[in-house]
Every structure is written in C-alpha cells, then in structure tokens.
Amino acid sequence: MLSVPVFWRMNKEKYKMIGKKCLDCGLVIFPNRKNCPSCDSQKLEEFGLSGKGKIYSDTIIRVAPDGFEAPYITALIKLEEGPMIVGEITGVDIEDVEKNPQGLVDKEVSITFRKIMLNENGLRVYGLKFLLE
Amino acid sequence: MTRVGIVAVGQSKFGELWEHSLRDLAVDAGNAVFKDLDTQTKGNITKKNIEGLFVGNMGAGSMAKQSHLGSLVSDYVGITGVPAVRCEGACSSGALAFRHAFHTIKSGEMDVAMVLGIEKMTDIDSNHVLNALMEAGDFEWESLAGLTFTGLYALMARRHMKEFGTTRNQLSLISVNNHKNGVKNPYAQFRGEITIEDVEKSTLIADPLRTLDCSPITDGAASVIIASEEFIKKNKLDNVAWILSSSAATDRIGFFNRRSIVELDATKLAVKRVIEKDRVNMKNIGVTEVHDCFSINELVALEDLGFCEKGKGGKFIEQGEIKLDGQIPTNTTGGLKSIGHPVGATGVRQLIDITKQIRGDSLNQLKNVNQGLALNIGGIGTTSVIHVLGKD
C-alpha cells in the first residue's frame, strides 16, 4: 500500500508539468532526472512544458490492473518540446476509436488534470490525462 | 578459461497448478533435473556434486509472499548448504540466473552449478498479477498511467503495423504455429491447435492484441545443471550442449524513452556481442527459441536477431519460415504461447528445449541441428539475454 509522499513528491511533474532543461546540451528532460540522459551533465534547470503533443501510438486497455476501470485509451504522446510520455486520452468515445485500425495515431492532444486511479487505501490519485485538440 | 556445458535438464508441468505451491514446483523441477542427471551420467554424478544454486525468479515477493528463494529452493530440492542466490531481471530472470551460473564456472570458482527458474502466479487474483508484472516497467510513468504489459506490446504492434504494413493475419500465424508445435508437449499449459479464425475472434485485451496473441498466466519451474569442461571430460560425459555464447544487454526502463518502439535495441546490442565477441556465425543456427510473450514480440525478435530484414517479419512468417521445416524453426515445442509463461522459469525452459534439440531428444526433433539460439526478454526489450548452445 503506497503512502501519500509517493504522489506528493511528484507534484511539480505530475500536476504542473515542470520538467528540466540541460544547461550544457539543451535537452528537454521529462519526466525529471538528476543527470542529463544525453550528456550526463548535472547542470539542469527547471523547465515548464506546454502540455501539447501528438499521439505516437495508442491502445484501448480492456483488462485493467487493480485500481483502474477498463476500458480506457492509453497512448504514447510525443510532446512538442521533444520528450515522449504515457498518458490516458479522455473525453473520446471508445466505440468510435475502436473502429479505426490506426487508432488515434498522429492526432494532436493537450493536457488536462483528472483523477487517475483509486489507491488501495482509498486515496484518490490525480494526475495528467490528455484531450484531443 | 574453461568451456561450460549443460549436462542435465528437467522441468515441472506448466499450467494453472492450483494444487502446487511455489516450493512444490521447485521440487518437481529439481527431481526432474536430478533424474536426468542420473540418466545422462549413468549414476556417476548426483546432487552431491552441485556446488552452487542460481534461482531465476521475478516476483515471488509480490505473487507468493515469499522472498529468499536461494535458501528456500536449496532446502526443498535437497542441496542445503550450497551458496545460493535469486537473480531478477523481470521475464529474463531465468536466463540471467543461467548466465551468472555460467560466469561462476568460467571463473573457476565452481565445477558444477544448478540453475532453477520458477514462478508461482496463480496464488493471487489475475488483476493483481497484472500489477505485479508491471513492476517490470516504469512504475511512476507507466504503471501509474494505467498501462499494462499487454498495453505496452499493443503500442509496439500498432506502430509496427503503421510503419511496415504488418497485418493482423501475420500476427495470428505466430500463435497458430506455436500452438501447433506445442500439441505433443506433455509439459504445456495448452496442447490444442488453434486456427487464424480462433485468434481473430478471441477477446480484445489491448487493441490490436487479443487473448490468443498473449502468453498465459502460468505456474512452473525449470532447471538445468551445468559443468566445466574439465569436470565433463574427467567424468567422460557425452551428450552435452556446450554454451557457445552468453550475452545480455539493457535499455532504458521506460518504453517512452526508447530510440525506437518497433525494434528493441537491447536485443540488437546483445546479438552484436554474440557475433563479434563470441564469433558465432548466425548462419549455423538451426533452431531458435524466442520470447513470444505476445505475438508481436516474436515477430520483432526475428527481425532484431537478423533472421529477416527489419519490417519484413510479417512476410517471413507468412512464407512459413518459422515452421518446423522452415528456414529457422522457431519455438519448436510451443513457445510461451502454448507451453505457458511462468516468468522466472521461461528463460531456463527455453534452454532446456534448445538442449534437447542439440542432444537429439526433442519431442519435435529436427534433423542436423548443430547450434541453437535462445532469446529471453525482460520487460519490453528492457533486458535481452541471448544464449547460443552447440554440439561442440
């Protein structure tokens, strides 16, 4: 059973979408790291991301892990600043999406703030989801 | 440095084994490997010769509430006292345990070691199994976003279809072939043939992947005993499968952080080392075991290993090249799809089936096989482990 600090310490990333930028090579880093994955520099500064991006690949999860309710759409999203992240696409009709074998690939999305899951101890976990533009 | 060979193999039944506990599975695999050791060495070598134990296991802590498997397994298989350790690398834990045993013998520290891969997955609800398996991914940014392992491979499949025109039919042929190969396998979880129609009518799990694209949740254990060349020669053991190459590579933990999601760099790096460092000629590989946890992964593995060109895996499968009489017979005893996928056991089970092809006692024995390759994958190409076994 995970306690509150697990989610609390990701506040900046998960609730405000603040990442890092490497002062040496310029790479935009999200999710955060302490060292640049490209040049290994430790000189990183905070960098706010726009929350806009494009769907790279997506799937409809029909058998969900504990804490989630299927069906829902999960996608890889290429953010406009460069990094890729995983996020749920909300506000779309699954019956429409499932008819298209290409899913939602190449569709533009932007960030929204929603309930993600119900933790085992009843903690409601909030975080990032995406809406079609 | 000494060469190392596999001298005995054995496994438990794979399946939903409600009547078997974690330790029961270990004992079944242990008894089977000791029986084979007795047969292969005409009673000259016994469990008393074993100097160390390497256990491959991913999630007994989460799925069976039991850690410290080095001690548990050594106790229950009856070799208490030997140094023992559990090796973990998600679904590649079995091959990683084997690799550590191999290195220990190569170093000269031991002459005989036992490897046992094991997973007990049906003691918790299946939705909790999904959570446990996702421990192989990135917890903060994949699990907490509601992604499952089927979901990860579905993202790979959809992109492979878009970039290379891979078809639903081509994926289905993979599961059909694995089930066909598993029909005679007495250890397999599923021993029935399936049709393309069966696959395409099965329930969607994560679009475009369906139930019959997925390996099942399985209980099982598999074990091998390996020994140094000096020991093998001194004891005049024949029918040995020699380890010609052991190679492993890792990639970044998050699938969202990869250079590509339609090829696995860890597999490409590992096979490069097999060819360049261990001087294996891939043309000599006559049989392969690849990690078909999901149909798309078998297709991508065949491409990444170089058995066919990138993007041409679908065509290669359509042409029947993975069948028993094809260019590279693949998963000749049923693969993860038919045999089942007790995650920590799979890497060792693959090596058992390659060993049998080399020794000549496989249930689907191929003719003139001198070398075989096994690819065991942890996560989604997060760890890739390759072993090449040969007659000499």
Side-chain angles (χ1 to χ4, degrees):
Chain A
M1 199 147 51
L2 290 167
S3 61
V4 174
V6 174
F7 306 100
W8 167 80
R9 67 172 169 259
M10 291 190 278
N11 179 331
K12 277 187 180 171
E13 294 163 282
K14 290 226 164 175
Y15 308 143
K16 295 173 187 154
M17 226 173 162
I18 295 172
K20 296 266 177 74
K21 188 169 188 174
C22 177
L23 291 173
D24 283 323
C25 76
L27 185 78
V28 176
I29 300 159
F30 190 86
N32 283 343
R33 287 170 180 253
K34 287 191 171 184
N35 296 1
C36 175
S38 177
C39 74
D40 212 30
S41 169
Q42 292 177 29
K43 283 185 245 159
L44 312 177
E45 65 174 8
E46 285 192 349
F47 182 85
L49 285 94
S50 68
K52 289 182 191 299
K54 205 184 247 190
I55 294 177
Y56 188 73
S57 189
D58 66 293
T59 179
I60 303 169
I61 305 281
R62 294 172 189 273
V63 180
D66 200 41
F68 292 84
E69 272 179 49
Y72 52 89
I73 300 168
T74 301
L76 275 172
I77 296 135
K78 180 90 175 154
L79 299 169
E80 63 181 13
E81 294 87 355
M84 186 115 80
I85 64 165
V86 179
E88 185 179 327
I89 310 298
T90 189
V92 286
D93 194 340
I94 287 183
E95 283 177 15
D96 290 340
V97 179
E98 69 187 3
K99 285 179 201 144
N100 186 352
Q102 296 270 321
L104 295 167
V105 174
D106 289 339
K107 292 263 191 299
E108 293 189 353
V109 292
S110 64
I111 207 158
T112 185
F113 185 71
R114 294 290 164 88
K115 189 185 105 181
I116 300 287
M117 66 175 289
L118 194 62
N119 199 1
E120 284 165 321
N121 54 0
L123 183 72
R124 282 187 175 80
V125 179
Y126 286 83
L128 312 175
K129 287 191 184 180
F130 289 84
L131 290 165
L132 293 185
E133 283 281 280
Chain B
M1 268 189 285
T2 182
R3 297 170 80 212
V4 183
I6 299 176
V7 298
V9 301
Q11 71 172 100
S12 76
K13 173 92 180 73
F14 279 16
E16 289 179 299
L17 308 175
W18 313 111
E19 71 284 12
H20 282 64
S21 67
L22 177 78
R23 61 192 73 188
D24 291 335
L25 297 170
V27 174
D28 282 358
N31 287 346
V33 80
F34 297 141
K35 186 172 173 223
D36 191 48
L37 185 68
D38 187 65
T39 308
Q40 301 297 332
T41 68
K42 297 165 190 75
N44 287 329
I45 312 297
T46 69
K47 64 168 82 169
K48 291 195 174 67
N49 294 88
I50 292 167
E51 296 163 275
L53 169 68
F54 298 80
V55 178
N57 171 262
M58 175 186 171
S62 295
M63 292 191 274
K65 302 297 169 201
Q66 177 73 59
S67 286
H68 214 159
L69 295 198
S71 164
L72 178 93
V73 174
S74 65
D75 177 5
Y76 273 77
V77 304
I79 55 170
T80 302
V82 300
V85 66
R86 164 189 164 193
C87 302
E88 192 274 318
C91 309
S92 62
S93 300
L96 286 173
F98 180 83
R99 186 170 149 79
H100 284 307
F102 167 72
H103 286 157
T104 307
I105 292 183
K106 268 200 111 55
S107 75
E109 178 71 19
M110 296 176 189
D111 274 315
V112 185
M114 177 170 176
V115 183
L116 190 143
I118 184 164
E119 210 73 54
K120 175 69 192 174
M121 302 178 74
T122 63
D123 275 356
I124 58 171
D125 296 337
S126 62
N127 60 333
H128 286 98
V129 175
L130 299 188
N131 292 66
L133 292 176
M134 265 314 286
E135 291 174 19
D138 182 312
F139 169 70
E140 292 181 359
W141 295 92
E142 291 175 344
S143 307
L144 284 182
L147 202 46
T148 59
F149 252 91
T150 321
L152 278 164
Y153 278 99
L155 294 169
M156 175 195 257
R158 175 152 282 165
R159 196 71 205 176
H160 204 283
M161 287 169 151
K162 179 181 161 63
E163 292 189 19
F164 305 113
T166 300
T167 65
R168 171 64 264 173
N169 186 266
Q170 290 164 345
L171 292 182
S172 304
L173 286 169
I174 295 166
S175 300
V176 169
N177 187 57
N178 283 326
H179 270 265
K180 188 166 194 257
N181 290 348
V183 168
K184 283 193 276 180
N185 190 338
Y187 304 107
Q189 184 163 356
F190 300 119
R191 295 182 60 184
E193 285 203 46
I194 57 170
T195 64
I196 288 172
E197 201 180 31
D198 292 333
V199 183
E200 290 168 19
K201 280 190 174 164
S202 65
T203 316
L204 278 163
I205 304 294
D207 308 30
L209 298 180
R210 293 173 179 273
T211 305
L212 293 181
D213 286 302
C214 310
S215 59
I217 291 169
T218 308
D219 303 322
S223 182
V224 299
I225 293 167
I226 65 176
S228 68
E229 184 170 27
E230 291 71 23
F231 185 90
I232 288 167
K233 293 210 163 140
K234 196 176 87 189
N235 290 284
K236 298 186 175 59
L237 305 181
D238 45 21
N239 228 7
V240 169
W242 294 97
I243 304 162
L244 306 184
S245 179
S246 174
S247 174
T250 49
D251 203 342
R252 293 172 70 177
I253 183 83
F255 195 50
F256 54 88
N257 264 329
R258 301 295 174 77
R259 184 191 61 79
S260 166
I261 68 161
V262 291
E263 56 187 340
L264 298 175
D265 282 351
T267 303
K268 295 179 79 177
L269 195 54
V271 78
K272 190 168 182 271
R273 290 170 183 160
V274 166
I275 296 164
E276 291 178 4
K277 181 171 161 282
D278 294 331
R279 305 269 171 215
V280 169
N281 183 347
M282 291 293 280
K283 289 199 176 75
N284 293 338
I285 305 291
V287 61
T288 189
E289 283 282 329
V290 299
H291 197 92
D292 61 305
C293 51
F294 299 95
S295 55
I296 183 66
N297 205 28
E298 175 162 335
L299 187 152
V300 167
L302 292 165
E303 295 176 347
D304 291 344
L305 290 169
F307 289 123
C308 62
E309 251 179 82
K310 180 52 47 190
K312 302 271 175 68
K315 252 295 166 276
F316 188 75
I317 288 154
E318 234 166 44
Q319 288 163 356
E321 305 296 7
I322 60 169
K323 292 184 180 175
L324 295 178
D325 59 354
Q327 191 181 312
I328 180 73
T330 303
N331 297 346
T332 60
T333 55
L336 284 61
K337 177 69 200 77
S338 157
I339 304 170
H341 181 27
V343 290
T346 285
V348 181
R349 194 279 305 156
Q350 291 178 316
L351 289 162
I352 290 175
D353 283 323
I354 295 286
T355 298
K356 287 184 174 178
Q357 286 287 3
I358 301 285
R359 296 199 314 204
D361 61 347
S362 172
L363 58 97
N364 280 323
Q365 185 60 45
L366 303 165
K367 285 183 189 133
N368 307 319
V369 172
N370 290 314
Q371 293 182 12
L373 178 148
L375 167 65
N376 188 200
I377 289 181
I380 181 157
T382 325
T383 299
S384 291
V385 190
I386 299 175
H387 286 99
V388 178
L389 307 181
K391 271 190 178 150
D392 38 39

